[in-house]
Protein backbone atom coordinates (compact mmCIF):
# COMPACT_ATOMS: atom_id res chain seq x y z
CA UNK A 1 0.00 0.00 0.00
CA UNK A 2 2.76 2.46 0.94
CA UNK A 3 4.60 1.66 -2.28
CA UNK A 4 1.55 2.75 -4.29
CA UNK A 5 1.24 5.99 -2.36
CA UNK A 6 4.94 6.74 -2.88
CA UNK A 7 4.60 5.85 -6.56
CA UNK A 8 1.63 8.23 -6.99
CA UNK A 9 3.49 11.02 -5.17
CA UNK A 10 6.54 10.45 -7.35
CA UNK A 11 4.46 10.63 -10.54
CA UNK A 12 2.77 13.83 -9.27
CA UNK A 13 6.12 15.46 -8.49
CA UNK A 14 7.46 14.44 -11.89
CA UNK A 15 4.40 15.89 -13.64
CA UNK A 16 4.73 19.16 -11.73
CA UNK A 17 8.41 19.40 -12.62
CA UNK A 18 7.79 18.84 -16.32
CA UNK A 19 4.96 21.39 -16.32
CA UNK A 20 7.20 23.98 -14.66
CA UNK A 21 9.92 23.31 -17.21
CA UNK A 22 7.54 23.96 -20.11
CA UNK A 23 6.17 27.14 -18.49
CA UNK A 24 9.69 28.54 -18.00
CA UNK A 25 10.66 27.66 -21.57
CA UNK A 26 7.57 29.49 -22.86
CA UNK A 27 8.36 32.59 -20.77
CA UNK A 28 11.93 32.56 -22.07
CA UNK A 29 10.68 32.34 -25.68
CA UNK A 30 8.32 35.28 -25.14
CA UNK A 31 11.15 37.37 -23.69
CA UNK A 32 13.28 36.62 -26.77
CA UNK A 33 10.44 37.63 -29.09
CA UNK A 34 9.91 40.89 -27.23
CA UNK A 35 13.61 41.69 -27.58
CA UNK A 36 13.14 41.73 -31.38
CA UNK A 37 10.83 44.75 -31.26
CA UNK A 38 12.38 47.63 -33.16
CA UNK A 39 13.58 50.39 -30.90
CA UNK A 40 14.75 52.81 -33.61
CA UNK A 41 11.72 54.97 -34.07
CA UNK A 42 13.86 57.80 -35.45
CA UNK A 43 14.22 55.98 -38.80
CA UNK A 44 10.47 56.24 -39.42
CA UNK A 45 9.32 59.67 -40.63
CA UNK A 46 6.28 61.04 -38.85
CA UNK A 47 3.13 60.77 -40.94
CA UNK A 48 0.60 62.50 -38.67
CA UNK A 49 -2.51 61.83 -40.81
CA UNK A 50 -1.67 58.12 -41.00
CA UNK A 51 -0.99 58.02 -37.24
CA UNK A 52 -4.29 59.74 -36.47
CA UNK A 53 -6.15 57.32 -38.75
CA UNK A 54 -4.46 54.37 -37.07
CA UNK A 55 -5.32 55.80 -33.65
CA UNK A 56 -8.98 56.11 -34.68
CA UNK A 57 -8.97 52.57 -36.03
CA UNK A 58 -7.16 50.81 -33.17
CA UNK A 59 -6.99 52.97 -30.04
CA UNK A 60 -10.00 55.26 -29.80
CA UNK A 61 -12.27 52.70 -28.15
CA UNK A 62 -10.08 52.57 -25.03
CA UNK A 63 -8.24 55.90 -25.05
CA UNK A 64 -11.04 58.20 -26.20
CA UNK A 65 -11.68 60.50 -29.14
CA UNK A 66 -9.40 63.23 -27.77
CA UNK A 67 -6.87 60.92 -26.05
CA UNK A 68 -8.69 61.68 -22.77
CA UNK A 69 -8.76 58.07 -21.64
CA UNK A 70 -11.58 55.83 -20.58
CA UNK A 71 -10.89 52.13 -20.30
CA UNK A 72 -7.25 52.96 -21.07
CA UNK A 73 -5.22 55.81 -19.59
CA UNK A 74 -5.25 59.45 -20.70
CA UNK A 75 -2.71 59.98 -23.51
CA UNK A 76 -2.94 63.75 -23.90
CA UNK A 77 0.55 64.23 -22.41
CA UNK A 78 1.99 60.74 -22.84
CA UNK A 79 5.10 62.16 -24.55
CA UNK A 80 6.14 63.89 -21.32
CA UNK A 81 5.94 60.58 -19.42
CA UNK A 82 7.28 58.01 -21.89
CA UNK A 83 9.94 58.01 -24.61
CA UNK A 84 9.20 56.96 -28.17
CA UNK A 85 10.90 53.63 -27.49
CA UNK A 86 8.80 53.01 -24.39
CA UNK A 87 5.64 53.84 -26.33
CA UNK A 88 6.68 51.44 -29.12
CA UNK A 89 7.16 48.66 -26.59
CA UNK A 90 3.82 49.40 -24.91
CA UNK A 91 1.92 49.32 -28.20
CA UNK A 92 3.73 46.22 -29.45
CA UNK A 93 3.63 44.16 -26.24
CA UNK A 94 0.58 45.58 -24.52
CA UNK A 95 0.40 45.32 -20.77
CA UNK A 96 -2.21 45.20 -18.06
CA UNK A 97 -5.53 45.19 -19.90
CA UNK A 98 -4.02 46.62 -23.09
CA UNK A 99 -3.65 44.02 -25.84
CA UNK A 100 -0.44 43.60 -27.79
CA UNK A 101 -0.63 45.02 -31.31
CA UNK A 102 2.62 43.46 -32.53
CA UNK A 103 0.80 40.87 -34.64
CA UNK A 104 -1.91 43.25 -35.87
CA UNK A 105 0.16 46.27 -36.91
CA UNK A 106 3.35 46.56 -38.94
CA UNK A 107 6.51 47.74 -37.20
CA UNK A 108 6.51 51.02 -39.14
CA UNK A 109 2.86 51.65 -38.19
CA UNK A 110 3.70 51.11 -34.51
CA UNK A 111 6.74 53.39 -34.82
CA UNK A 112 4.72 56.12 -36.56
CA UNK A 113 1.96 55.96 -33.96
CA UNK A 114 4.56 56.05 -31.16
CA UNK A 115 6.25 59.07 -32.73
CA UNK A 116 2.88 60.85 -33.01
CA UNK A 117 1.99 60.04 -29.40
CA UNK A 118 5.44 61.04 -28.13
CA UNK A 119 4.85 64.53 -29.53
CA UNK A 120 1.86 64.88 -27.16
CA UNK A 121 3.40 66.80 -24.27
Amino acid sequence: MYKWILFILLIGAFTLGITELFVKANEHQQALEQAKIPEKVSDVPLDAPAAEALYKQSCISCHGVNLEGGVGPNLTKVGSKLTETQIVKQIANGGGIMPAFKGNLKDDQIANLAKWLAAKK
Side-chain angles (χ1 to χ4, degrees), residues 26-36:
N26 187 32
E27 288 174 359
H28 180 69
Q29 182 64 31
Q30 287 176 346
L32 289 175
E33 288 175 7
Q34 288 179 356
K36 295 177 187 176

Side-chain angles (χ1 to χ4, degrees), residues 49-119:
E52 287 181 47
L54 187 59
Y55 176 83
K56 288 177 182 175
Q57 172 190 334
S58 302
C59 313
I60 203 169
S61 62
C62 293
H63 295 285
V65 175
N66 298 312
L67 298 109
E68 73 276 7
V71 175
N74 183 318
L75 299 177
T76 55
K77 296 183 180 182
V78 69
S80 63
K81 298 173 189 168
L82 300 174
T83 66
E84 288 178 4
T85 301
Q86 290 171 320
I87 296 171
V88 165
K89 288 182 178 181
Q90 182 68 36
I91 295 169
N93 297 329
I97 62 171
M98 180 174 170
F101 285 90
K102 183 178 177 186
N104 300 331
L105 301 176
K106 296 177 184 173
D107 290 346
D108 60 333
Q109 288 177 307
I110 293 174
N112 187 44
L113 183 58
K115 188 169 271 206
W116 181 73
L117 288 169

Side-chain angles (χ1 to χ4, degrees), residues 1-9:
M1 174 90 175
Y2 290 114
K3 288 182 182 180
W4 282 105
I5 292 172
L6 287 176
F7 178 73
I8 291 171
L9 288 174

